[in-house]
Amino acid sequence: MEPFLVIAVLLLLVLAVFFGFVNERGQKTKLKKLLAEKSAIIEKTSKLLVEKNLELYDQNIRLQRSLEAKSDFVGVASHQLRTPITEIKWCVENILDGSYGPLLGTQTAQVKNLLESTKKMIRLIDELLHFVDAEAGYKEHTIALVEPEKLIGEIIDEAARHFAEKDIRVERSFAFGNTALSLDVDMIGVAITNIIENAFYYTPSGGTILISTEKKGDTFFLAIKDSGIGIAENKKENVFKKFHRSREALALHAGGVGLGLYITKNIVEQHRGEIGFESESGKGSTFHITLPIHSPPV
Amino acid sequence: MPENTSRTVLIIEDDAFLRELAADKLRKEGYTVLEAITGEEGLEKLKELRPDLILLDLILPEMDGFEVLARIQKDEKTRPIPVMILSNFGQKADIEKGLRMGAKEYLIKAHVNPKEIVEKINALFADVK
């Protein structure tokens, strides 16, 4: 081979390696710079994130406090209202039963109206207090092991007089047994009472209410079936909305305020349960509640 | 009615109007009524005048109703006097606490009326007899 050619090839090789090396170095420096830039951005972003996080945490606490303040306010205000409203009620009842002398002419009817309005106000206050409790969630100390059938039995017994007066037959078909569930007794009591009360109000005299329980898998299942006015198809979506009352409901139970089922749904869901209903206008409604047997409320 | 005339009821209640409304009704039914505004006053009257029954409110200035009930139960001389709690606290926990501490009955003010209170008192005396 020609020595010239060999030298030329070698030279070319050396040059190629050298430029390659320089090029690589340049790229490395560039990459390093880029990396540093990106690192700086990441650092800045994470600092920002930490700040935002703290801000959110702060806001969360403030929101929580304002929610608590709202609940406290409604709770305290409602509770404070109970004393004066009790005074009015007691006074009106004393007047009505003749403690302060006989009433004349239409006075009796008017004082009776006064008593009805007073009772309506008491119910509203009771519901507002339940509403606050249901929205505030649960306090540890109110949760206890309860046999649901026993609780339901007590509620039915307490209302027996009203059912008898209205000539409504209440049938029980209890098949769940005596397994105890971890429940907020007061709140679940309110939820079940609300549904039974609705059945009472919206079922005409001579009707029947069937209250049945059973075990469905890992859940307690309660159904309250009435032979009442039922719920029209186009009203069904509003059943659990707060302050919502249909014209039919208003006609049968003017004293209601439209919070009962909203509160009930809240309570059931906080117990990780489910609530639903089937209903046919004019034929009656069946409301059912499912509660898990093993999980405590949220 | 005349059979109540010898019976005395002590009402411990800080709300003047409620106290008066309950007292009116009880007097009409033939009971002798004693009134106290605070727990302290109630305990004093209780020891001095020995009523046959105590109607006890829970929210009272200074000493609350539960404390009054505890003191009634602690004293051998006052323990046999039946106590009826009359409160606007309606939570199961409060009701159970009151009954556990020795109250014979727990009534929620807004859910009863003076007539029903008298009926409960009559029934309690009928049981005692």
Side-chain angles (χ1 to χ4, degrees), chain A residues 79 82-83 86-91 93-94 97-100 122 126 133 139 142 151 154 185-186, chain B residues 15 17-18 21-22 24-25 28 59 86 88-93 109-115 117:
Chain A
H79 203 85
R82 277 187 151 180
T83 300
T86 305
E87 291 170 346
I88 296 171
K89 183 179 178 247
W90 286 16
C91 190
E93 302 241 29
N94 275 0
D97 70 21
S99 290
Y100 306 124
I122 288 171
D126 284 352
D133 282 345
K139 298 150 232 142
T142 56
L151 180 68
E154 281 171 23
V185 206
D186 285 316
Chain B
D15 188 279
F17 195 17
L18 284 183
L21 287 164
D24 276 356
K25 193 76 198 165
K28 266 231 143 52
I59 308 179
L86 193 53
N88 258 333
F89 280 150
Q91 300 276 80
K92 206 158 185 142
K109 285 178 187 172
H111 296 171
V112 294
N113 59 41
K115 195 173 151 206
I117 297 169

Side-chain angles (χ1 to χ4, degrees), chain A residues 116-117 119-125 127-128 194 197-198 201-202 241-261 263:
Chain A
E116 279 318 303
S117 303
K119 282 183 177 171
K120 187 172 167 181
M121 201 125 96
I122 288 171
R123 268 201 301 275
L124 177 59
I125 293 168
E127 294 225 324
L128 279 174
N194 278 342
E197 267 184 8
N198 279 351
Y201 285 123
Y202 304 122
K241 285 184 186 160
K242 57 183 154 186
F243 297 114
H244 195 94
R245 307 206 61 218
S246 73
R247 200 184 315 160
E248 295 83 359
L250 210 63
L252 275 178
H253 174 41
V257 286
L259 278 174
L261 283 176
I263 292 170

Side-chain angles (χ1 to χ4, degrees), chain B residues 7-11 22-24 26-27 31-35:
Chain B
R7 294 235 158 91
T8 306
V9 175
L10 169 66
I11 305 177
D24 276 356
L26 281 162
R27 290 200 179 100
Y31 286 99
T32 304
V33 181
L34 304 170
E35 299 176 37

Side-chain angles (χ1 to χ4, degrees), chain A residues 200-220:
Chain A
F200 169 78
Y201 285 123
Y202 304 122
T203 301
S205 286
T208 310
I209 294 169
L210 172 67
I211 300 170
S212 56
T213 66
E214 61 184 287
K215 203 173 210 164
K216 275 196 179 173
D218 253 358
T219 64
F220 163 76

